[in-house]
Amino acid sequence: MTPLIETRALSRHFGGLKAVEAVDFTLQPGEIRAIIGPNGAGKTTFVSLICGRIAPSSGSIALDGNDITRLPAHKRVLAGIAYTFQITSIFPKLTVYDNVALSVQRRLLKAGRVVAGELDAGVAQALARVGLADRAQTLAGNLAYGHQRLLEVAMGLALEPRLLILDEPTQGLSDGEIEGFIALVREIAKEATVLLIEHNMPVVMQLAQKITVMNFGRVLAEGSAEEIRANAAVQEAYLGTGRDG
């Protein structure tokens, strides 16, 4: 099977800082994969390279076997890669509905059509999936932080992506909302591949079919939840002093 995403020797340096260093990574279609690691391990930089927000210093990225290393971020969105940010990137002065409508419109324009009924249906479906249907006319900036995170997930879902990248998606969610989120990701995985960065280890252990552990910009370990739990190098990395970034 051709991997959905494959990186080879992917690196990103900021001056003398090797934020990501020679990472080989393979993600299969339909997989739920988690990337974990201490603060500053390079997780967000790595997924930012995949979605095109930053350019690599060296190495390559392929989507379905096609090189996308130099493809601009907006074209990667059109190719089916959606990314929700570690810090919310909603439009606070627009309503919840209008935030999601922007994503639906982009998807419909790609398909060569924008029909009012399809726009409304797409927004309604995305908001219902994340539990925000009753807040459609609320200004996004007035939502609680956890609900802003869910809105951002809805914006990603509205694109109907092949790959949905979620960066710290449960941050700010209540216990009940986290349970709902776990169920949501399992539903999403029936239609798309999910790659998430997450510090909430119970969430990771419940969701991820495979876990990639990063430390100092490199892949430290990969495996199932049970294999990662038992890995001494992973335990040592998490017991070390956290680093910002």
Side-chain angles (χ1 to χ4, degrees):
M1 181 184 295
T2 301
L4 181 64
I5 293 290
E6 185 172 24
T7 74
R8 287 288 172 258
L10 190 64
S11 300
R12 173 65 196 206
H13 300 165
F14 297 96
L17 173 65
K18 297 179 179 181
V20 173
E21 178 66 6
V23 171
D24 293 336
F25 176 85
T26 301
L27 181 65
Q28 297 296 340
E31 188 178 349
I32 302 176
R33 174 75 66 90
I35 300 180
I36 66 172
N39 291 333
K43 307 180 297 295
T44 293
T45 301
F46 178 66
V47 297
S48 294
L49 290 167
I50 290 175
C51 73
R53 290 184 64 222
I54 58 176
S57 301
S58 59
S60 65
I61 308 164
L63 173 68
D64 278 335
N66 300 308
D67 193 300
I68 61 167
T69 310
R70 302 301 168 189
L71 194 69
H74 71 277
K75 290 190 177 179
R76 296 191 200 193
V77 172
L78 294 177
I81 298 175
Y83 177 29
T84 72
F85 298 89
Q86 186 176 23
I87 300 171
T88 55
S89 59
I90 61 170
F91 299 96
K93 294 184 179 180
L94 296 181
T95 65
V96 167
Y97 177 98
D98 287 340
N99 270 267
V100 179
L102 291 171
S103 293
V104 177
Q105 188 174 50
R106 175 179 282 188
R107 171 171 57 81
L108 294 176
L109 284 170
K110 179 191 173 186
R113 66 183 192 278
V114 178
V115 180
E118 288 186 79
L119 184 65
D120 289 340
V123 174
Q125 181 182 40
L127 290 179
R129 293 183 77 178
V130 302
L132 292 178
D134 61 342
R135 294 176 169 83
Q137 298 308 316
T138 302
L139 286 179
N142 291 340
L143 292 175
Y145 180 73
H147 288 161
Q148 291 182 10
R149 301 310 308 272
L150 291 174
L151 172 58
E152 197 179 31
V153 173
M155 292 165 70
L157 288 176
L159 293 167
E160 295 186 356
R162 300 176 60 209
L163 171 62
L164 181 62
I165 302 174
L166 303 168
D167 196 345
E168 299 292 349
T170 66
Q171 186 178 347
L173 300 185
S174 68
D175 290 344
E177 288 168 338
I178 287 174
E179 287 303 312
F181 172 79
I182 290 170
L184 173 62
V185 170
R186 287 177 175 151
E187 280 296 311
I188 294 168
K190 295 176 182 178
E191 308 161 3
T193 304
V194 179
L195 176 62
L196 70 152
I197 297 173
E198 183 56 69
H199 281 295
N200 186 322
M201 291 311 296
V203 170
V204 169
M205 295 302 177
Q206 285 186 68
L207 279 177
Q209 297 158 337
K210 189 173 183 180
I211 299 169
T212 298
V213 185
M214 293 188 68
N215 197 28
F216 295 109
R218 294 180 176 270
V219 173
L220 176 66
E222 282 190 330
S224 66
E226 293 74 20
E227 290 168 333
I228 294 303
R229 252 193 220 104
N231 189 299
V234 173
Q235 293 173 12
E236 183 178 350
Y238 270 108
L239 290 172
T241 303
R243 303 178 307 282
D244 293 333

